[in-house]
Amino acid sequence: MQWRSLVVGLLVLRVSVSCVLWLAFGPGPGVSSGFNFPLGFNLNKLDLLFGESKRDEPADPNSWSARVAGPKYAETATTCAKVGGVESATRPYLSFFEGNRDEYVRRYSSFPDALKAKMRDMAKEMFYFGYDNYMRYAFPEDELNPIDCEGRGPDVLNPSNININDVLGNYSLTLIDTLDTLLVLGNVTEFHRAVRLVIDTVSFDKDSTVQVFEANIRILGSLISAHILLTDPKHPFGKVGLEDYDNELLHLAHDLAVRLLPAFENTSTGIPYPRVNLKTGVPSDSINETCTAGAGSLLVEFGILSRLIGDSTFEWVARRAVRALWNLRNNQTGLLGNVVNIQTGQWVGKQSGLGAGMDSFYEYLLKSYILFGEKEDFRMFQAAYESIQNHLRRGRESCNEGEGDPPLYVNVNMMSGEIMNTWIDSLQAFFPGLQVLSGDIDNAICLHAFYYAIWKRFGALPERYNWQLQAPDVLFYPLRPELVESTYLLYQATKNPFYLHVGMDILQSLEKNAKVRCGYATLHHVVEKSKEDRMESFFLIV
């Protein structure tokens, strides 16, 4: 069936986002270690990468873009691109992919095969450094503490430590989360060994209270993905079927989903509780508030499971939650808030943005349409995107022409559209990738450049960055993958080698700043590069 091929494509995307990106990366000639890009890669006018600024108009030092770029990069403010010796303020972004013979082309237009192979080997070495140490020091626990070379599981002594307990369920999280990565890297032998380990050792009959969203995207999605790769008759990675495999991973996925179903019961809105105990259901002290992303980002995995096992229950409850949230959007702005009461349907958090609490709600609307072809999902996405453009987007109308600041997506009050604060968070870096999938390449190029500018400044994305003060608000970086995903998708859409160099830069930054004795550690402080002893499972899949 057509949807089955789409399933494979989207589920494997979560590993190919970087595995394919990293496998393709190689250093181009003359890569600068600084932030002095030949096409005026600064945020003063967002001539950035594919546009131009007027030489005779100095940048406004009070604009948000100047504050982001900062004095460190003022030297690039007058650098601009020329095409055929003629300046243009209206030339389309994509035209800059063609035929330029300036410094940009000399630096970024080639990517030798030998260097691609070198970077491919480096990426594999990085993966296996983390994976082998997890298996050596941490398995069967959920995560690896890469500094102390120890395993980490739920914080049973402090149930209120949701930063840990929302994710870790005492079910070998990192092993499950990396199953399909092993196959993408071509290691069929270890993939088979890991599948058998999961089948033989993993059980969800645990007294663990976990977040429904995290269990869904990390565990349920990984089990389904590995099952499809084992059984897909099209063999996208070759004939990798496991002898005597009897759908055990699918059975585990079904068992987990059944244990998550109580979250959807006893809510007057159909919006699920945020957490469940895998053995006993919704805790008696559970709160009635959940975030929009957590409740509205279940449809991909639940929908695939329903179609694989022939039981519509899972897709139905996930789709009901999406519709319930959608019906609560503001009538004037069309925006949703970030926290809702699942019993009353009242918005507890009225901030509307693209980051934490909301990000994957938009992502799942579009990806659900791609997977299942339901026009309702696409209509919701289109309406949501229009509201985002109308109320969250600030700056000039077009990325590469006109006057004023380049575009930025801010956090606003869902009722009025007024700015609520002056920070963006690192999760928002997913949005250029979503714009690529929706076909809005120009805006994706523009927004991606903004996040990459911040990465270049710190060698990481701070969890929150204040674009008005030109400084991080929250200084840690837990090795999040969103910027990598957007970079990969932009490369696939444009084939511009610049994005390979972006990916190489990210890879090298991680190797330099995050590598420790037994893996790669969360950065506690993106400026000082101090570290925290945690390697989240998603690092090895991205």
Side-chain angles (χ1 to χ4, degrees), residues 41-70:
F41 198 104
N42 65 85
L43 292 175
N44 294 336
K45 286 288 186 182
L46 202 72
D47 30 86
L48 287 175
L49 180 58
F50 304 106
E52 303 172 1
S53 62
K54 297 181 180 179
R55 292 179 184 268
D56 57 351
E57 294 183 4
D60 177 6
N62 296 315
S63 68
W64 69 259
S65 54
R67 288 190 288 269
V68 171

mmCIF file of all heavy atoms in Angstrom, residues 41-70:
data_model
loop_
_atom_site.group_PDB
_atom_site.id
_atom_site.type_symbol
_atom_site.label_atom_id
_atom_site.label_comp_id
_atom_site.label_asym_id
_atom_site.label_seq_id
_atom_site.Cartn_x
_atom_site.Cartn_y
_atom_site.Cartn_z
ATOM 1 N N PHE A 41 27.075 37.012 5.538
ATOM 2 C CA PHE A 41 26.297 36.174 6.460
ATOM 3 C C PHE A 41 26.220 36.862 7.809
ATOM 4 O O PHE A 41 26.965 36.587 8.731
ATOM 5 C CB PHE A 41 26.935 34.799 6.595
ATOM 6 C CG PHE A 41 25.998 33.780 7.146
ATOM 7 C CD1 PHE A 41 25.433 32.837 6.305
ATOM 8 C CD2 PHE A 41 25.640 33.772 8.474
ATOM 9 C CE1 PHE A 41 24.560 31.901 6.801
ATOM 10 C CE2 PHE A 41 24.761 32.845 8.973
ATOM 11 C CZ PHE A 41 24.225 31.905 8.132
ATOM 12 N N ASN A 42 25.363 37.841 7.896
ATOM 13 C CA ASN A 42 25.083 38.513 9.158
ATOM 14 C C ASN A 42 23.600 38.792 9.163
ATOM 15 O O ASN A 42 22.925 38.646 8.149
ATOM 16 C CB ASN A 42 25.892 39.805 9.275
ATOM 17 C CG ASN A 42 25.495 40.816 8.231
ATOM 18 O OD1 ASN A 42 24.552 41.570 8.430
ATOM 19 N ND2 ASN A 42 26.210 40.830 7.094
ATOM 20 N N LEU A 43 23.082 39.233 10.281
ATOM 21 C CA LEU A 43 21.646 39.411 10.381
ATOM 22 C C LEU A 43 21.226 40.869 10.270
ATOM 23 O O LEU A 43 20.119 41.214 10.632
ATOM 24 C CB LEU A 43 21.158 38.809 11.707
ATOM 25 C CG LEU A 43 21.275 37.294 11.741
ATOM 26 C CD1 LEU A 43 20.906 36.775 13.122
ATOM 27 C CD2 LEU A 43 20.394 36.662 10.700
ATOM 28 N N ASN A 44 22.096 41.701 9.781
ATOM 29 C CA ASN A 44 21.741 43.112 9.729
ATOM 30 C C ASN A 44 20.691 43.419 8.677
ATOM 31 O O ASN A 44 19.890 44.316 8.836
ATOM 32 C CB ASN A 44 22.993 43.958 9.487
ATOM 33 C CG ASN A 44 23.937 43.875 10.663
ATOM 34 O OD1 ASN A 44 23.510 43.596 11.773
ATOM 35 N ND2 ASN A 44 25.219 44.094 10.421
ATOM 36 N N LYS A 45 20.706 42.696 7.573
ATOM 37 C CA LYS A 45 19.658 42.839 6.566
ATOM 38 C C LYS A 45 19.185 41.495 6.051
ATOM 39 O O LYS A 45 18.366 41.433 5.152
ATOM 40 C CB LYS A 45 20.179 43.670 5.376
ATOM 41 C CG LYS A 45 20.304 45.156 5.665
ATOM 42 C CD LYS A 45 18.959 45.811 5.762
ATOM 43 C CE LYS A 45 19.079 47.303 5.908
ATOM 44 N NZ LYS A 45 17.773 47.951 6.048
ATOM 45 N N LEU A 46 19.730 40.446 6.641
ATOM 46 C CA LEU A 46 19.515 39.095 6.133
ATOM 47 C C LEU A 46 19.757 39.025 4.634
ATOM 48 O O LEU A 46 19.032 38.406 3.891
ATOM 49 C CB LEU A 46 18.143 38.544 6.461
ATOM 50 C CG LEU A 46 18.180 37.013 6.399
ATOM 51 C CD1 LEU A 46 18.938 36.438 7.575
ATOM 52 C CD2 LEU A 46 16.815 36.410 6.318
ATOM 53 N N ASP A 47 20.824 39.747 4.201
ATOM 54 C CA ASP A 47 21.411 39.327 2.942
ATOM 55 C C ASP A 47 22.038 37.978 3.228
ATOM 56 O O ASP A 47 22.131 37.138 2.360
ATOM 57 C CB ASP A 47 22.458 40.309 2.443
ATOM 58 C CG ASP A 47 23.171 41.047 3.543
ATOM 59 O OD1 ASP A 47 24.149 40.545 4.064
ATOM 60 O OD2 ASP A 47 22.704 42.149 3.866
ATOM 61 N N LEU A 48 22.452 37.758 4.494
ATOM 62 C CA LEU A 48 22.841 36.454 5.021
ATOM 63 C C LEU A 48 23.544 35.581 3.997
ATOM 64 O O LEU A 48 24.735 35.671 3.810
ATOM 65 C CB LEU A 48 21.603 35.716 5.545
ATOM 66 C CG LEU A 48 21.030 36.263 6.845
ATOM 67 C CD1 LEU A 48 19.745 35.545 7.192
ATOM 68 C CD2 LEU A 48 22.019 36.133 7.974
ATOM 69 N N LEU A 49 22.761 34.767 3.332
ATOM 70 C CA LEU A 49 23.363 33.761 2.471
ATOM 71 C C LEU A 49 23.010 33.960 1.011
ATOM 72 O O LEU A 49 23.848 33.836 0.149
ATOM 73 C CB LEU A 49 22.888 32.381 2.930
ATOM 74 C CG LEU A 49 23.425 31.201 2.150
ATOM 75 C CD1 LEU A 49 24.944 31.198 2.196
ATOM 76 C CD2 LEU A 49 22.873 29.923 2.731
ATOM 77 N N PHE A 50 21.749 34.281 0.739
ATOM 78 C CA PHE A 50 21.305 34.317 -0.644
ATOM 79 C C PHE A 50 20.758 35.687 -1.058
ATOM 80 O O PHE A 50 20.234 35.842 -2.143
ATOM 81 C CB PHE A 50 20.221 33.265 -0.882
ATOM 82 C CG PHE A 50 20.684 31.905 -0.513
ATOM 83 C CD1 PHE A 50 20.228 31.299 0.629
ATOM 84 C CD2 PHE A 50 21.608 31.250 -1.297
ATOM 85 C CE1 PHE A 50 20.664 30.044 0.975
ATOM 86 C CE2 PHE A 50 22.046 29.990 -0.949
ATOM 87 C CZ PHE A 50 21.572 29.393 0.187
ATOM 88 N N GLY A 51 20.862 36.664 -0.194
ATOM 89 C CA GLY A 51 20.351 37.983 -0.523
ATOM 90 C C GLY A 51 21.453 39.013 -0.452
ATOM 91 O O GLY A 51 22.614 38.706 -0.233
ATOM 92 N N GLU A 52 21.091 40.262 -0.596
ATOM 93 C CA GLU A 52 22.062 41.340 -0.629
ATOM 94 C C GLU A 52 21.542 42.532 0.143
ATOM 95 O O GLU A 52 20.349 42.728 0.302
ATOM 96 C CB GLU A 52 22.347 41.765 -2.071
ATOM 97 C CG GLU A 52 22.838 40.615 -2.931
ATOM 98 C CD GLU A 52 22.916 41.012 -4.381
ATOM 99 O OE1 GLU A 52 22.618 42.160 -4.689
ATOM 100 O OE2 GLU A 52 23.280 40.164 -5.197
ATOM 101 N N SER A 53 22.445 43.348 0.636
ATOM 102 C CA SER A 53 22.061 44.605 1.268
ATOM 103 C C SER A 53 22.639 45.763 0.467
ATOM 104 O O SER A 53 23.571 45.591 -0.314
ATOM 105 C CB SER A 53 22.586 44.660 2.703
ATOM 106 O OG SER A 53 23.995 44.604 2.710
ATOM 107 N N LYS A 54 22.126 46.947 0.706
ATOM 108 C CA LYS A 54 22.637 48.116 -0.002
ATOM 109 C C LYS A 54 23.863 48.633 0.736
ATOM 110 O O LYS A 54 23.832 48.880 1.928
ATOM 111 C CB LYS A 54 21.553 49.195 -0.060
ATOM 112 C CG LYS A 54 20.331 48.747 -0.856
ATOM 113 C CD LYS A 54 19.300 49.849 -0.907
ATOM 114 C CE LYS A 54 18.082 49.403 -1.706
ATOM 115 N NZ LYS A 54 17.059 50.459 -1.754
ATOM 116 N N ARG A 55 24.919 48.830 0.007
ATOM 117 C CA ARG A 55 26.175 49.255 0.620
ATOM 118 C C ARG A 55 26.056 50.624 1.278
ATOM 119 O O ARG A 55 26.729 50.908 2.259
ATOM 120 C CB ARG A 55 27.279 49.312 -0.449
ATOM 121 C CG ARG A 55 27.673 47.960 -1.000
ATOM 122 C CD ARG A 55 28.748 48.152 -2.050
ATOM 123 N NE ARG A 55 29.111 46.902 -2.683
ATOM 124 C CZ ARG A 55 30.093 46.124 -2.256
ATOM 125 N NH1 ARG A 55 30.761 46.451 -1.175
ATOM 126 N NH2 ARG A 55 30.397 45.012 -2.899
ATOM 127 N N ASP A 56 25.226 51.486 0.745
ATOM 128 C CA ASP A 56 25.214 52.872 1.213
ATOM 129 C C ASP A 56 24.240 53.094 2.357
ATOM 130 O O ASP A 56 23.992 54.220 2.741
ATOM 131 C CB ASP A 56 24.874 53.811 0.048
ATOM 132 C CG ASP A 56 23.544 53.467 -0.597
ATOM 133 O OD1 ASP A 56 22.977 52.409 -0.243
ATOM 134 O OD2 ASP A 56 23.087 54.252 -1.448
ATOM 135 N N GLU A 57 23.642 52.035 2.909
ATOM 136 C CA GLU A 57 22.721 52.182 4.025
ATOM 137 C C GLU A 57 23.240 51.389 5.204
ATOM 138 O O GLU A 57 23.100 50.168 5.251
ATOM 139 C CB GLU A 57 21.326 51.696 3.636
ATOM 140 C CG GLU A 57 20.685 52.557 2.570
ATOM 141 C CD GLU A 57 19.285 52.093 2.259
ATOM 142 O OE1 GLU A 57 18.805 51.164 2.931
ATOM 143 O OE2 GLU A 57 18.663 52.652 1.351
ATOM 144 N N PRO A 58 23.872 52.045 6.188
ATOM 145 C CA PRO A 58 24.404 51.310 7.338
ATOM 146 C C PRO A 58 23.286 50.668 8.126
ATOM 147 O O PRO A 58 22.154 51.160 8.170
ATOM 148 C CB PRO A 58 25.116 52.396 8.153
ATOM 149 C CG PRO A 58 24.450 53.685 7.744
ATOM 150 C CD PRO A 58 24.083 53.500 6.290
ATOM 151 N N ALA A 59 23.612 49.546 8.738
ATOM 152 C CA ALA A 59 22.612 48.820 9.517
ATOM 153 C C ALA A 59 22.210 49.623 10.739
ATOM 154 O O ALA A 59 23.016 50.311 11.354
ATOM 155 C CB ALA A 59 23.172 47.464 9.943
ATOM 156 N N ASP A 60 20.948 49.534 11.088
ATOM 157 C CA ASP A 60 20.440 50.178 12.289
ATOM 158 C C ASP A 60 20.935 49.420 13.513
ATOM 159 O O ASP A 60 20.574 48.266 13.721
ATOM 160 C CB ASP A 60 18.910 50.170 12.244
ATOM 161 C CG ASP A 60 18.295 50.771 13.504
ATOM 162 O OD1 ASP A 60 19.066 51.285 14.349
ATOM 163 O OD2 ASP A 60 17.058 50.718 13.626
ATOM 164 N N PRO A 61 21.770 50.044 14.356
ATOM 165 C CA PRO A 61 22.316 49.309 15.502
ATOM 166 C C PRO A 61 21.260 48.946 16.532
ATOM 167 O O PRO A 61 21.513 48.119 17.417
ATOM 168 C CB PRO A 61 23.347 50.285 16.082
ATOM 169 C CG PRO A 61 22.862 51.644 15.652
ATOM 170 C CD PRO A 61 22.241 51.438 14.285
ATOM 171 N N ASN A 62 20.074 49.530 16.442
ATOM 172 C CA ASN A 62 19.024 49.229 17.410
ATOM 173 C C ASN A 62 18.058 48.146 16.930
ATOM 174 O O ASN A 62 17.147 47.773 17.648
ATOM 175 C CB ASN A 62 18.229 50.503 17.727
ATOM 176 C CG ASN A 62 19.088 51.549 18.403
ATOM 177 O OD1 ASN A 62 19.848 51.228 19.320
ATOM 178 N ND2 ASN A 62 18.974 52.796 17.953
ATOM 179 N N SER A 63 18.244 47.679 15.702
ATOM 180 C CA SER A 63 17.345 46.640 15.202
ATOM 181 C C SER A 63 17.628 45.322 15.898
ATOM 182 O O SER A 63 18.731 45.081 16.394
ATOM 183 C CB SER A 63 17.528 46.465 13.690
ATOM 184 O OG SER A 63 18.805 45.923 13.415
ATOM 185 N N TRP A 64 16.627 44.455 15.949
ATOM 186 C CA TRP A 64 16.858 43.164 16.613
ATOM 187 C C TRP A 64 17.927 42.366 15.898
ATOM 188 O O TRP A 64 18.693 41.631 16.508
ATOM 189 C CB TRP A 64 15.569 42.358 16.719
ATOM 190 C CG TRP A 64 15.008 41.837 15.434
ATOM 191 C CD1 TRP A 64 13.967 42.355 14.723
ATOM 192 C CD2 TRP A 64 15.442 40.692 14.703
ATOM 193 N NE1 TRP A 64 13.742 41.634 13.584
ATOM 194 C CE2 TRP A 64 14.616 40.593 13.553
ATOM 195 C CE3 TRP A 64 16.441 39.733 14.882
ATOM 196 C CZ2 TRP A 64 14.764 39.592 12.609
ATOM 197 C CZ3 TRP A 64 16.588 38.729 13.937
ATOM 198 C CH2 TRP A 64 15.762 38.663 12.821
ATOM 199 N N SER A 65 18.007 42.520 14.569
ATOM 200 C CA SER A 65 18.999 41.744 13.838
ATOM 201 C C SER A 65 20.412 42.189 14.161
ATOM 202 O O SER A 65 21.328 41.376 14.270
ATOM 203 C CB SER A 65 18.742 41.853 12.333
ATOM 204 O OG SER A 65 18.684 43.209 11.941
ATOM 205 N N ALA A 66 20.615 43.483 14.337
ATOM 206 C CA ALA A 66 21.937 43.959 14.716
ATOM 207 C C ALA A 66 22.296 43.468 16.106
ATOM 208 O O ALA A 66 23.449 43.146 16.383
ATOM 209 C CB ALA A 66 21.974 45.478 14.661
ATOM 210 N N ARG A 67 21.302 43.401 16.990
ATOM 211 C CA ARG A 67 21.590 42.933 18.346
ATOM 212 C C ARG A 67 21.947 41.455 18.351
ATOM 213 O O ARG A 67 22.750 41.007 19.158
ATOM 214 C CB ARG A 67 20.386 43.201 19.251
ATOM 215 C CG ARG A 67 20.206 44.672 19.574
ATOM 216 C CD ARG A 67 19.163 44.860 20.643
ATOM 217 N NE ARG A 67 17.824 44.596 20.164
ATOM 218 C CZ ARG A 67 17.028 45.527 19.645
ATOM 219 N NH1 ARG A 67 17.454 46.770 19.543
ATOM 220 N NH2 ARG A 67 15.819 45.220 19.227
ATOM 221 N N VAL A 68 21.328 40.677 17.470
ATOM 222 C CA VAL A 68 21.696 39.268 17.384
ATOM 223 C C VAL A 68 23.106 39.118 16.841
ATOM 224 O O VAL A 68 23.924 38.372 17.367
ATOM 225 C CB VAL A 68 20.706 38.498 16.491
ATOM 226 C CG1 VAL A 68 21.221 37.102 16.224
ATOM 227 C CG2 VAL A 68 19.348 38.420 17.174
ATOM 228 N N ALA A 69 23.394 39.833 15.762
ATOM 229 C CA ALA A 69 24.711 39.705 15.156
ATOM 230 C C ALA A 69 25.790 40.210 16.087
ATOM 231 O O ALA A 69 26.812 39.569 16.289
ATOM 232 C CB ALA A 69 24.746 40.479 13.836
ATOM 233 N N GLY A 70 25.579 41.367 16.676
ATOM 234 C CA GLY A 70 26.488 41.854 17.690
ATOM 235 C C GLY A 70 27.778 42.429 17.132
ATOM 236 O O GLY A 70 28.098 42.303 15.957
#
